[in-house]
Amino acid sequence: MALTENEIEKIAKSIFDKLVKYQEKFEKQNNEFIVSDEFGNSSIVSEKEYLQFEISKLRDIEKQHVQNEQFEKAEEIKNKIIKLKQKLYGI
């Protein structure tokens, strides 16, 4: 029995959603976070390291939006960076 592309997509989304929920549960219980690099390597880090990682990723995205002259999107990303920095320095 061959699966259709739509069925495969639904299965993949279901698995992904379950993994995200598991990761969030793990993070809340342990106050540790899992981060992955562009090669798929994962590491467990503290909340501070996680926030620094997220800020770094968002800065890259913000730069791409500015280069593409998508200033509204860049502004949205900048606001997310500000919120993460406030959380980071509140730790």
Side-chain angles (χ1 to χ4, degrees), residues 1-89:
M1 175 177 121
L3 297 174
T4 67
E5 191 69 29
N6 191 28
E7 291 170 326
I8 293 170
E9 194 66 34
K10 285 181 183 179
I11 292 169
K13 183 178 180 341
S14 176
I15 291 170
F16 178 77
D17 291 343
K18 287 180 182 183
L19 287 172
V20 168
K21 286 180 185 177
Y22 174 78
Q23 181 176 344
E24 289 171 354
K25 181 180 174 184
F26 175 83
E27 291 168 354
K28 287 179 184 176
Q29 289 176 343
N30 299 298
N31 201 28
E32 294 179 331
F33 297 80
I34 300 172
V35 295
S36 300
D37 63 16
E38 63 272 11
F39 303 110
N41 301 318
S42 297
S43 300
I44 297 174
V45 297
S46 68
E47 184 175 10
K48 181 178 180 179
E49 292 169 316
Y50 173 76
L51 291 172
Q52 291 169 333
F53 179 79
E54 287 298 311
I55 290 168
S56 176
K57 284 192 335 185
L58 288 172
R59 283 184 179 150
D60 291 340
I61 294 169
E62 180 188 22
K63 287 177 188 175
Q64 289 174 353
H65 287 313
V66 170
Q67 288 175 349
N68 295 331
E69 297 181 5
Q70 297 173 324
F71 301 113
E72 289 180 16
K73 289 182 180 181
E75 186 66 25
E76 290 174 16
I77 298 298
K78 181 180 177 182
N79 291 334
K80 289 179 182 181
I81 292 170
I82 290 169
K83 288 178 185 177
L84 287 177
K85 282 184 175 181
Q86 289 171 340
K87 187 171 183 179
L88 175 64
Y89 298 120

